[in-house]
Each structure stands twice: as C-alpha cells, then as structure tokens.
Amino acid sequence: METNNNNTTVEEKATEEQKKFFLDLLPGKLIDIQFNNPIQVRFKLTLIGYDTGKYLILKYPAQAGKNDYSDILVEGKGAIVRYIIEDERGECVAFSTSILAISFRPERLIYLAYPKKIESRQLRETSRLPTHIPAKISLSKADTDADSKSLLHGLIIDISPSGCRFAIHVSSGFVALKKRQVFVHILSPIDNKSVIITSYIRNNQMKGNRLSVGIEFDASEQTKLNTLLEAYSIDID
C-alpha cells in the first residue's frame, strides 16, 4: 500500500479530498450531469442527498416522461457530474459515475454510484488572498453615506487584482443580488477616503443569513486597485 511522508496512505488522502468536496455538496444544490453515448445529453438536476461511499440521489429530470430518454436514463449508464463551488475557493468539481438505479415511486429519483475519484480546477485566473476589509456596494456611483439606504455594508473576505468576494449578513426574505454592474466602496487606509471601484456581480450564494457575492472588477480600474492593494500591504503576483 503506497504511503506519503506523513504516513498517510494514498487511499486515505483521496478519502479526505472526497469528504472536503462533499461538504460543499448539500441537498438542494443544482448539479450538471452529462451522458455521452449515443449522443451528448445534459441535465441540471437537484441533489436530494447521498450516503458516503455508496450512492448519490438526484431528482429525475422534470421535463422527462417515464419513457423519455429510455436509452440514456437506464441502470449502468455512465455519466460525468459537475458542480460549482462559488465561495472563497472558486472551483469546478467533476467526477465520473454511473446510474445504479432509477425509482418512480413515491418520487422519481436517480441513484448514482459514489465516485472513486474527484477532480477540481480553479475558476479564477488569479488567486485571491483572504482579507477582512470593510466595504460597501452601491448600484450608482453617486451613492454616498448620506444616502445610506442605497448602500450594502459588508466585508471583503478575499481579494485579487481582478475581483473579490463580498460578504454581508442579511435578514430573512432578502433577494440575492442579480448579475449586474455595481460600485464597490473601499476605504483607503492612507487618507480614509472612499475609493469607488466599478465592478460586476458574477455570482452569489446564500448560507443562512449570510450572503456571499462574487465580484469582478472592471479592467479600467487596475491602476486604482493596485494603489489600494499596496496601501493594504496586499501583495498578489
């Protein structure tokens, strides 16, 4: 049995990786499942749950009748599953699997074989460093503290020259921010003046009463961002 220098077996290391990624795969998450034979077919299906080491359970495609895709949705059919981790890590996770069983009562469900190997890749071109910088988001560049109702107050929890993740605690019933242009207000540590960065919301994720927003900075703001990051002693190659 192969081991590494820390006396941890390769199998144990792989199991730990699976546990880490499956912590992000919670019931209700929408995942992508792809079948390639005889033709490529893809579905976006909701995860119901899983039994570690045994199987995953997905909702049956809502658009498919019992006899639809009868050559695709059958026991033994191979598939590729992908899902996105949109938080601080910003990764796409993928693994190969196959259909173990399909049930039609009391609910239409698909049982997938538990993956033996999980792969991931970074979605971002540049790495982000963890931070704890107070910031605000506005929909208009003209919004200021004088009009505090139009500002969302939160924290930048990671940042790079190309983007950041903004976290804010929200009340129940809060509607997540749509993909659109926004303006990020960051207080400069040099003169305590607010630096306003033109930005774009790319994704958001709600966990309890915490909204995590993925933000991309406008390319034209690079000089302003470099000065700001240097002021915060953030060195990102």
Side-chain angles (χ1 to χ4, degrees), residues 155-169:
L155 290 172
I156 293 176
I157 57 177
D158 65 47
I159 194 168
S160 77
S162 61
C164 71
R165 183 153 292 275
F166 178 84
I168 178 174
H169 288 280

Side-chain angles (χ1 to χ4, degrees), residues 136-142 151 181-185 196-199 221:
K136 303 162 191 174
I137 290 180
S138 68
L139 302 182
S140 169
K141 194 171 185 178
L151 293 171
Q181 184 183 70
V182 293
F183 298 90
V184 179
H185 302 240
I196 302 175
I197 308 294
T198 304
S199 309
E221 302 280 34

Side-chain angles (χ1 to χ4, degrees), residues 135-143 150-152 156 162-166 174-186 195-204 211 213-221 224-225:
K136 303 162 191 174
I137 290 180
S138 68
L139 302 182
S140 169
K141 194 171 185 178
D143 290 338
S150 63
L151 293 171
L152 289 177
I156 293 176
S162 61
C164 71
R165 183 153 292 275
F166 178 84
F174 182 89
V175 179
L177 296 170
K178 296 181 179 179
K179 293 182 179 180
R180 57 162 298 163
Q181 184 183 70
V182 293
F183 298 90
V184 179
H185 302 240
I186 306 174
V195 179
I196 302 175
I197 308 294
T198 304
S199 309
Y200 305 91
I201 292 178
R202 295 308 184 198
N203 58 69
N204 55 73
L211 176 66
V213 184
I215 293 174
E216 179 184 353
F217 298 136
D218 192 286
S220 65
E221 302 280 34
K224 193 187 299 183
L225 278 162

Side-chain angles (χ1 to χ4, degrees), residues 8-214:
T8 302
T9 67
V10 172
E11 291 80 359
E12 288 172 343
K13 185 177 180 180
T15 300
E16 289 303 315
E17 287 295 309
Q18 288 183 337
K19 288 179 180 178
K20 181 182 74 170
F21 286 117
F22 273 99
L23 286 174
D24 300 289
L25 196 57
L26 300 176
K29 188 173 184 67
L30 200 63
I31 67 173
D32 180 279
I33 181 168
Q34 174 183 322
F35 300 92
N36 291 323
N37 188 19
I39 59 173
Q40 185 181 107
V41 177
R42 299 179 74 162
F43 299 105
K44 295 285 188 180
L45 303 181
T46 302
L47 177 74
I48 301 299
Y50 59 87
D51 190 344
T52 304
K54 295 181 179 179
Y55 53 78
L56 293 83
I57 307 174
L58 309 179
K59 278 192 175 181
Y60 198 86
Q63 71 271 33
K66 187 173 181 179
N67 296 319
D68 293 338
Y69 304 103
S70 57
D71 58 336
I72 299 281
L73 300 176
V74 293
E75 292 182 16
K77 194 70 173 180
I80 298 174
V81 166
R82 299 181 182 90
Y83 63 92
I84 303 296
I85 301 173
E86 294 181 336
D87 58 11
E88 293 86 346
R89 300 212 305 271
E91 293 175 316
C92 176
V93 179
F95 56 83
S96 297
T97 182
S98 61
I99 296 177
L100 289 178
I102 296 176
S103 67
F104 292 93
R105 294 181 182 178
E107 295 286 343
R108 300 199 303 170
L109 302 172
I110 299 176
Y111 290 76
L112 298 178
Y114 197 85
K116 296 180 179 179
K117 182 181 180 181
I118 296 175
E119 298 179 351
S120 68
R121 64 177 177 85
Q122 291 289 329
L123 296 176
R124 306 187 185 115
E125 293 182 358
T126 56
S127 61
R128 292 183 183 173
L129 290 183
T131 60
H132 194 79
I133 302 174
K136 303 162 191 174
I137 290 180
S138 68
L139 302 182
S140 169
K141 194 171 185 178
D143 290 338
T144 64
D145 283 326
D147 185 19
S148 59
K149 290 183 179 179
S150 63
L151 293 171
L152 289 177
H153 296 248
L155 290 172
I156 293 176
I157 57 177
D158 65 47
I159 194 168
S160 77
S162 61
C164 71
R165 183 153 292 275
F166 178 84
I168 178 174
H169 288 280
V170 298
S171 58
S172 60
F174 182 89
V175 179
L177 296 170
K178 296 181 179 179
K179 293 182 179 180
R180 57 162 298 163
Q181 184 183 70
V182 293
F183 298 90
V184 179
H185 302 240
I186 306 174
L187 199 65
S188 171
I190 296 177
D191 54 15
N192 284 330
K193 292 184 179 180
S194 184
V195 179
I196 302 175
I197 308 294
T198 304
S199 309
Y200 305 91
I201 292 178
R202 295 308 184 198
N203 58 69
N204 55 73
Q205 185 177 40
M206 192 81 74
K207 288 186 178 180
N209 65 345
R210 184 195 193 212
L211 176 66
S212 178
V213 184

